[in-house]
Amino acid sequence: MEQSLVLIKPDAIQRCLAGEIISRLEKKGLKIVAMKMLQMDYALAQHHYAVHKSKPFFAELVDFITSSPIIAIVFQGRSAVSLIRQTMGETDSAKASPGTVRGDLGIDLSHNLIHGSDSLENASQEISLFFSDEEIYNYTRDIDRWIS
Ligand code: IDP
Ligand code: MG
């Protein structure tokens, strides 16, 4: 089982799309094991997007992600990292395939509604930026009991 970090970005909350996006991931069978609403501060944004520090869009990205509250979620499931990336669609919403969150609902490259970790290694590092071990729940869903 993999765990991955999802951020429902400020544009998704502003456009009342949080439920729709979370629902798409839940319907895929992914299990919510941690969730919180927060407004990212500059320091957290710098850490989370450290890999993009030298990019020309970095300042715009940090401004955007700190502009209003987000929802941070840890999803768990088989191949969770790649499953979430597929459900998100590619970075530029204008190029993302129909059927993906970004392809169906996103506006452009910066207003693309959702973050999902891009590797298992980054997932674990990103999860620890947002959640303590005690905030991540280990439980069995009825649906998993009934199916297996
Ligand atoms: P990802 O979110 O699909 O993993 P990354 O390349 O990791 O995409 O970029 C992180 C975020 O930075 C994107 O989701 C998007 O919000 C923003 N971003 C990426 N490239 C650009 C750009 O060229 N202009 C403005 N924002 C960008
Ligand atoms: Mg990325």
Side-chain angles (χ1 to χ4, degrees):
M1 284 297 165
E2 292 181 5
Q3 291 184 342
S4 186
L5 181 79
V6 164
L7 302 179
I8 308 297
K9 292 184 178 181
D11 54 337
I13 311 275
Q14 295 292 337
R15 294 178 54 212
C16 308
L17 291 170
E20 159 88 26
I21 296 167
I22 294 166
S23 182
R24 286 183 180 215
L25 294 165
E26 261 195 307
K27 284 178 195 158
K28 203 66 189 155
L30 291 159
K31 176 159 119 182
I32 296 169
V33 294
M35 169 146 64
K36 68 170 77 161
M37 188 173 207
L38 72 150
Q39 186 153 355
M40 287 173 73
D41 61 16
Y42 185 76
L44 180 56
Q46 288 258 331
H47 274 116
H48 176 69
Y49 282 125
V51 67
H52 297 303
K53 225 165 211 163
S54 59
K55 308 270 175 66
F57 59 85
F58 185 68
E60 183 197 332
L61 175 58
V62 170
D63 275 355
F64 167 65
I65 205 72
T66 59
S67 64
S68 73
I70 61 153
I71 297 172
I73 308 169
V74 180
F75 276 102
Q76 182 174 297
R78 206 184 308 135
S79 306
V81 169
S82 62
L83 206 58
I84 290 166
R85 296 288 297 186
Q86 280 171 29
T87 307
M88 285 162 53
E90 67 177 277
T91 309
D92 187 347
S93 304
K95 295 183 185 150
S97 303
T100 64
V101 169
R102 287 166 168 172
D104 289 348
L105 309 168
I107 303 284
D108 56 26
L109 192 51
S110 33
H111 303 96
N112 59 6
L113 301 169
I114 179 170
H115 166 85
S117 310
D118 63 5
S119 69
L120 205 48
E121 193 189 2
N122 286 341
S124 140
Q125 203 257 327
E126 290 175 2
I127 288 168
S128 66
L129 278 180
F130 287 83
F131 295 97
S132 66
D133 288 347
E134 297 72 42
E135 290 174 315
I136 302 172
Y137 291 89
N138 184 6
Y139 67 103
T140 305
R141 295 181 301 194
D142 284 346
I143 191 165
D144 296 326
R145 251 196 296 267
W146 296 331
I147 288 169
S148 53

